[in-house]
Amino acid sequence: MKINILTLFPEMFSGFKSESIIGKALEKNLLEINIVNIREFCYDKHKQADDMPFGGGAGMVMKPEPLFRALETVKGKVIYTTPQGVRFNQKLAIELAQEEEITIIAGHYEGIDERVVESKVDLEVSIGDFVLTGGELPAMMMADCIARLVPGVIKKESYENDSFFNGLLDYPHYTRPAEYEGMKVPEVLLSGHHKNIETWRLKESLKRTYLRRRDLLVGRELSKEEKKLLAEIKRELGK
Ligand SMILES: NC(=O)c1ccc(NC2CCCC2)nc1
């Protein structure tokens, strides 16, 4: 899979591309992340990428020509990160991870000229109801979430229990030491009894989802075991 990201600030992506899981995945050529510097497509003497808004008002708007030129050099579904977009979520990440190539435009200032959106953008996407100085961090977040779904980037087992992957929030995690400052790891996790551990984890996922994100349970098919565990949880909570 190839993810192109168009930006005026390519340096913002150097750590993202060199560190941790994404860094290793790029080294192993499991995926490609291609950062396109929009400035390189500003052919005028002053390399002007933005200009004043028609109709007046504060701020600057990113000019259409450099964006159209930059888009000529990439392929795939074109996404623009903006508060006006559809909400990004794991379901959309899974859909986008099926694509051979996608291109994300990271805007800046007041945004990009609407003619780019109308004629070139396939999907406007928001990561939440808040405004950022640029679309780079949303682009990085989306690329991270999509990249970890690319085969080989992380072990399959670890994302199968991810929050939202099975429609539930993730269960609690513990590692050594077994006791720290008087706080003990739940006994079942030290028992080596895999079935009991699996049941405990499912129950904890259900409990967290029921308490923190009950909306995720609405319309979700519950297995026989999940129904039994949820009934236990409600009894234990006295609800
Ligand atoms: N909530 C979001 O996903 C989001 C995306 C982009 C952005 N700012 C960008 C948008 C165009 C110029 C700055 N702010 C917020």
Side-chain angles (χ1 to χ4, degrees):
M1 169 167 208
K2 181 176 182 182
I3 302 176
N4 306 297
I5 301 176
L6 274 56
T7 175
L8 283 171
F9 302 95
E11 279 314 302
M12 283 184 73
F13 295 86
S14 44
F16 173 67
K17 285 190 65 175
S18 63
E19 300 306 300
S20 183
I21 290 168
I22 301 289
K24 290 191 185 67
L26 292 171
E27 258 170 45
K28 293 191 277 186
N29 292 319
L30 292 170
L31 81 154
E32 195 185 340
I33 295 181
N34 168 37
I35 305 302
V36 177
N37 185 352
I38 299 166
R39 187 74 64 187
E40 288 170 12
F41 297 89
C42 303
Y43 297 159
D44 62 296
K45 189 156 62 76
H46 300 292
K47 292 194 166 298
Q48 199 180 355
D50 60 300
D51 204 340
M52 292 183 293
F54 277 122
M60 302 290 271
V61 175
M62 287 175 72
K63 292 173 61 60
E65 309 97 313
L67 284 164
F68 275 98
R69 292 175 193 137
L71 285 167
E72 287 303 304
T73 68
V74 291
K75 295 201 305 274
K77 190 177 288 223
V78 178
I79 292 154
Y80 174 45
T81 59
T82 167
Q84 289 82 41
V86 294
R87 181 62 66 86
F88 184 67
N89 57 26
Q90 195 69 24
K91 183 171 174 293
L92 180 50
I94 293 167
E95 285 166 23
L96 293 172
Q98 312 309 315
E99 302 282 336
E100 263 310 295
E101 179 166 352
I102 62 171
T103 291
I104 305 174
I105 301 173
H108 229 83
Y109 314 115
E110 296 309 305
I112 67 177
D113 187 287
E114 190 63 15
R115 286 164 290 187
V116 179
V117 180
E118 276 162 11
S119 62
K120 293 290 181 185
V121 170
D122 298 303
L123 188 65
E124 294 179 78
V125 178
S126 168
I127 59 166
D129 291 341
F130 43 82
V131 181
L132 301 167
T133 56
E136 283 78 12
L137 291 175
M140 238 176 270
M141 277 177 62
M142 289 175 58
D144 184 291
C145 184
I146 292 163
R148 59 192 300 284
L149 297 171
V150 170
V153 174
I154 58 170
K155 286 189 305 303
K156 191 166 163 49
E157 304 69 51
S158 60
Y159 74 67
E160 284 183 337
N161 289 308
D162 266 356
S163 287
F164 307 109
F165 188 83
N166 59 4
L168 301 173
L169 297 183
D170 203 359
Y171 48 77
H173 297 274
Y174 298 87
T175 186
R176 285 178 291 199
E179 178 168 346
Y180 180 70
E181 305 271 318
M183 295 179 284
K184 290 184 178 174
V185 169
E187 273 306 313
V188 65
L189 298 180
L190 310 176
S191 69
H193 198 300
H194 297 292
K195 183 66 190 117
N196 289 357
I197 291 168
E198 202 180 310
T199 304
W200 180 87
R201 286 175 166 171
L202 177 57
K203 187 173 179 180
E204 285 299 314
S205 283
L206 274 167
K207 190 190 302 180
R208 276 186 169 190
T209 310
Y210 179 72
L211 290 173
R212 301 181 190 187
R213 289 294 309 274
R214 205 165 298 178
D215 59 295
L216 294 176
L217 292 177
V218 174
R220 182 183 184 284
E221 278 294 298
L222 290 178
S223 68
K224 217 159 115 280
E225 186 185 20
E226 288 168 345
K227 283 188 185 122
K228 183 172 81 58
L229 290 171
L230 191 56
E232 268 179 43
I233 290 162
K234 288 177 179 173
R235 270 200 309 279
E236 286 159 14
L237 291 172
K239 291 194 179 178

